[in-house]
Amino acid sequence: MPTTFRDAVVSTTIARDISAFRAAVNDSFVPLHVTSRRSDRFRGVIRGAGIDEVHISDVRATEHVVERTPELIARDDRPHFKVSLMLAGTGLLIQDDREAVLTPGDLAVYDTSRPYTLTFDEDFRTMVVMFPRHLITLPADMVGQLTAVRIAGSEGLGAVVSPYLMQLAANLDQFRGSTGARLAHSALDLVTTVFTRELGLDDALADPHRALMQRIRSHIERNLASADLGPTSIAAAHFISTRHLHGLFQAQGTTVSTWIRTRRLEQCRRDLIDPVLADRPVAAIAARWGFVDAAHFSRAFKTAFDVSPSEFRAAH
């Protein structure tokens, strides 16, 4: 049975030919075109688990090529990020006119909404973390600057994050329930930290425009619970006009209000599956993150996640 994003069942698929592996890949990730020069000798294994929209897979296989084509994107255009961590062998990732050669310990990110190619010329093992783009706080266009960029696992933050992800891949049986959800979101927090460093957003010498946006996003995160959080208070806190603030977010393809609502909904979603908060009413969780109108919160949550808050909590 293919693993879904809402259960935490660990599934293992053993593919003894390229057709079986292609089907397993499509079930585990997004529609992909998989080919091999030695299809008669092809072997592959995918072990995966998913919870709270985060899917982690441990993939081992012989030589093959994976392609995400415009035609396949048109069939399923749900925007996800995928982070690959090479565990053995070598892989070549191509996206957005960039190429990254990945060796054991190296990380790289790619976006399923745009074409990419992964080439493995020998037996390999890799870990893949796939998640909707809205689960991290960085705008998609910023992360887009890092697609197919090698992040070394032997130095810097890569040396901190790679071992954690390796342990997740080796212990997928722990990836269940509220503990699994925390492990998954801890992984995303670490990955976001790496992206932030790679983009230079935490550097005092960074581009002032980027630095301002980083301060604004951090301010929003710290004040999500405040019902007074809005364009006026944010602009005042950063000594800029509301017009300038709106222009900053418009340049990133969103609005201030949309960004605040998305971040609040994400925090509510996490709290709704936290067993520590199981006795807390849905309305109280909503109010904790700045939703003063319970009915408005319920509508916004259902629009974002296709399920009501109460149904979401019951399902988990």
Side-chain angles (χ1 to χ4, degrees):
M1 171 186 290
T3 301
T4 66
F5 287 119
R6 287 186 178 174
D7 67 35
V9 177
V10 178
S11 68
T12 301
T13 301
I14 300 174
R16 294 181 172 83
D17 58 61
I18 193 68
S19 296
F21 187 75
R22 186 180 300 119
V25 164
N26 288 335
D27 284 340
S28 298
F29 304 113
V30 291
L32 297 165
H33 183 54
V34 184
T35 57
S36 174
R37 292 173 300 172
R38 299 190 294 272
S39 57
D40 56 326
R41 289 187 252 169
F42 183 87
R43 296 291 184 274
V45 178
I46 300 177
R47 191 165 186 263
I51 190 168
D52 199 21
E53 295 193 284
V54 181
H55 191 275
I56 295 181
S57 298
D58 183 346
V59 182
R60 309 176 192 220
T62 55
E63 170 274 329
H64 70 273
V65 176
V66 175
E67 296 174 278
R68 177 76 165 154
T69 65
E71 294 77 18
L72 293 175
I73 293 170
R75 281 172 42 191
D76 183 351
D77 61 355
R78 292 171 298 169
H80 286 79
F81 288 130
K82 296 170 78 173
V83 174
S84 283
L85 167 63
M86 287 301 299
L87 300 175
T90 303
L92 172 65
L93 169 63
I94 303 172
Q95 187 171 51
D96 298 330
D97 296 321
R98 289 187 290 266
E99 298 184 2
V101 177
L102 307 177
T103 58
D106 292 343
L107 294 164
V109 62
Y110 41 113
D111 190 328
T112 66
S113 68
R114 296 191 300 281
Y116 64 80
T117 301
L118 275 163
T119 301
F120 304 100
D121 289 330
E122 58 185 3
D123 294 3
F124 73 96
R125 179 185 175 199
T126 188
M127 173 193 187
V128 181
V129 183
M130 185 171 81
F131 52 93
R133 297 193 310 199
H134 68 78
L135 286 190
I136 63 174
T137 57
L138 292 174
D141 65 332
M142 281 192 174
V143 180
Q145 298 175 42
L146 294 177
T147 52
V149 172
R150 171 181 172 268
I151 300 173
S154 58
E155 60 188 26
L157 283 180
V160 177
V161 175
S162 287
Y164 180 84
L165 296 180
M166 288 179 184
Q167 287 300 313
L168 281 187
N171 295 277
L172 287 180
D173 289 330
Q174 304 301 316
F175 199 58
R176 62 181 71 247
S178 60
T179 298
R182 289 193 182 97
L183 289 173
H185 287 289
S186 293
L188 297 190
D189 288 341
L190 289 172
V191 166
T192 302
T193 301
V194 172
F195 292 167
T196 299
R197 173 66 59 82
E198 292 293 317
L199 289 166
L201 297 177
D202 58 355
D203 190 340
L205 299 178
D207 175 10
H209 177 85
R210 287 187 176 183
L212 174 60
M213 279 303 298
Q214 183 67 7
R215 291 197 300 272
I216 290 172
R217 285 192 295 270
S218 296
H219 174 85
I220 291 172
E221 289 296 309
R222 291 193 304 270
N223 293 277
L224 284 175
S226 172
D228 295 328
L229 182 67
T232 301
S233 66
I234 295 169
H238 294 85
F239 306 101
I240 61 176
S241 68
T242 54
R243 181 177 181 180
H244 186 193
L245 178 69
H246 287 304
L248 289 171
F249 278 84
Q250 184 178 13
Q252 296 187 357
T254 187
T255 67
V256 182
S257 298
T258 298
W259 184 264
I260 294 172
R261 182 174 64 252
T262 299
R263 297 307 305 149
R264 282 175 167 166
L265 287 171
E266 180 55 35
Q267 294 298 333
C268 290
R269 193 170 67 87
R270 292 193 188 191
D271 282 0
L272 286 170
I273 64 171
D274 190 336
V276 175
L277 303 175
D279 294 331
R280 184 169 298 187
V282 170
I285 288 176
R288 180 188 185 194
W289 294 107
F291 287 102
V292 295
D293 185 329
H296 168 70
F297 165 68
S298 184
R299 290 193 298 271
F301 192 95
K302 188 164 186 177
T303 297
F305 304 116
D306 296 323
V307 63
S308 73
S310 298
E311 292 169 339
F312 178 82
R313 171 180 264 181
H316 288 79

